[in-house]
């Protein structure tokens, strides 16, 4: 009976550990997103404005210099490496 109880408790602890790991991962992702939003907000407060972004977007649409302007979007909009990779896949 003690062995069965021990196995049950071990199983319960393993499930609890896994649930906590998932919560920690979700919190890390949320923290990363919040950091990106804060950096983006800071950039606007430091003088980068929507007018600059508008001008870059218009130039992107008007010209064929997409390769030259895409890195500007990466920087201005603070793309993650995953977002950059997704854009590169589409543009290639």
């Amino acid at each position: 009976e003690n062995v069965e109880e021990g196995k049950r408790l071990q199983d319960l602890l393993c499930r609890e550990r896994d649930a906590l790991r998932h919560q920690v991962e979700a919190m890390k992702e949320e923290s990363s997103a919040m950091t990106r939003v804060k950096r983006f907000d800071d950039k606007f407060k430091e003088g980068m404005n929507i007018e600059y972004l508008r001008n870059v977007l218009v130039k992107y649409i008007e010209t064929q210099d997409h390769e030259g302007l895409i890195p500007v979007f990466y920087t201005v909009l603070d793309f993650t490496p995953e977002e950059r990779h997704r854009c590169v896949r589409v543009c290639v």
Side-chain angles (χ1 to χ4, degrees):
E1 187 175 309
N2 285 340
V3 172
E4 290 298 319
E5 180 67 11
K7 286 181 179 180
R8 187 184 71 75
L9 289 173
Q10 185 178 14
D11 184 54
L12 181 64
L13 287 172
C14 286
R15 282 186 277 154
E16 193 66 30
R17 179 199 61 212
D18 291 344
L20 288 172
R21 283 183 178 161
H22 289 296
Q23 288 176 349
V24 166
E25 279 303 311
M27 290 172 73
K28 284 180 182 178
E29 289 175 12
E30 185 176 335
S31 175
S32 176
M34 289 173 65
T35 299
R36 289 180 58 223
V37 168
K38 171 90 171 85
R39 279 196 314 245
F40 189 71
D41 186 54
D42 289 347
K43 284 183 180 182
F44 272 100
K45 288 179 182 173
E46 291 171 4
M48 185 194 81
N49 60 38
I50 203 74
E51 187 67 30
Y52 176 73
L53 184 57
R54 181 183 301 124
N55 290 336
V56 172
L57 180 60
V58 168
K59 188 154 187 92
Y60 177 86
I61 292 168
E62 289 177 339
T63 70
Q64 298 300 315
D65 186 23
H66 294 173
E67 284 185 37
L69 292 171
I70 287 176
V72 175
F73 287 113
Y74 294 164
T75 302
V76 170
L77 298 173
D78 199 23
F79 279 28
T80 65
E82 170 61 25
E83 291 165 333
R84 290 177 185 213
H85 180 70
R86 286 171 41 203
C87 290
V88 167
R89 275 196 328 241
V90 172
C91 293
V92 173

